[in-house]
Amino acid sequence: MNQVRCNLIVIRSHQAEQASSFYSALGLEFLKHRHGNGPEHYAAELENCTFEIYPLAADAPPTTETRIGFAVSDVETAFSDLLRAGGKSIRPPKPSAWGLRAVVSDLDGHRIELTQTQ
């Protein structure tokens, strides 16, 4: 059986620069990238995954139906930091089957699920 792991997540934003600032509130460090003639975008390297934010072209479909999950060491702090960065509370921190969990909406409406690592 193949071993599979996710190594790339790409979202598209009407306000890519502001989105990179928003996700920086989690501690992600973004660099600007451009591949060939493609659009300039933001990329952050996580442990085993690259998280990219591309500008949303006028004719491109939004990616807001994608839910993004981050495991963090402190859900309550991450939740508060994202709210201060302009996020909207969808579900405040509560115990769940996966540990302490919260959901925040980013500036474009992507839902970010935060779960606390043990």
Side-chain angles (χ1 to χ4, degrees), residues 16-94:
E17 186 172 341
Q18 293 90 337
S20 71
S21 293
F22 174 83
Y23 285 96
S24 292
L26 279 175
L28 278 69
E29 296 180 19
F30 288 91
L31 296 174
K32 286 185 179 180
H33 282 261
R34 180 182 302 246
H35 307 291
N37 293 329
E40 186 172 82
H41 61 281
Y42 294 87
E45 296 294 327
L46 303 169
E47 187 175 329
N48 293 311
C49 186
T50 301
F51 181 69
E52 295 183 324
I53 303 170
Y54 273 78
L56 181 62
D59 61 342
T63 56
T64 54
E65 290 300 315
T66 301
R67 182 174 285 202
I68 306 159
F70 292 101
V72 297
S73 59
D74 185 337
V75 164
E76 291 181 0
T77 298
F79 180 78
S80 295
D81 289 347
L82 290 178
L83 293 183
R84 276 193 298 282
K88 294 182 180 147
S89 174
I90 303 299
R91 288 192 184 85
K94 285 186 169 181

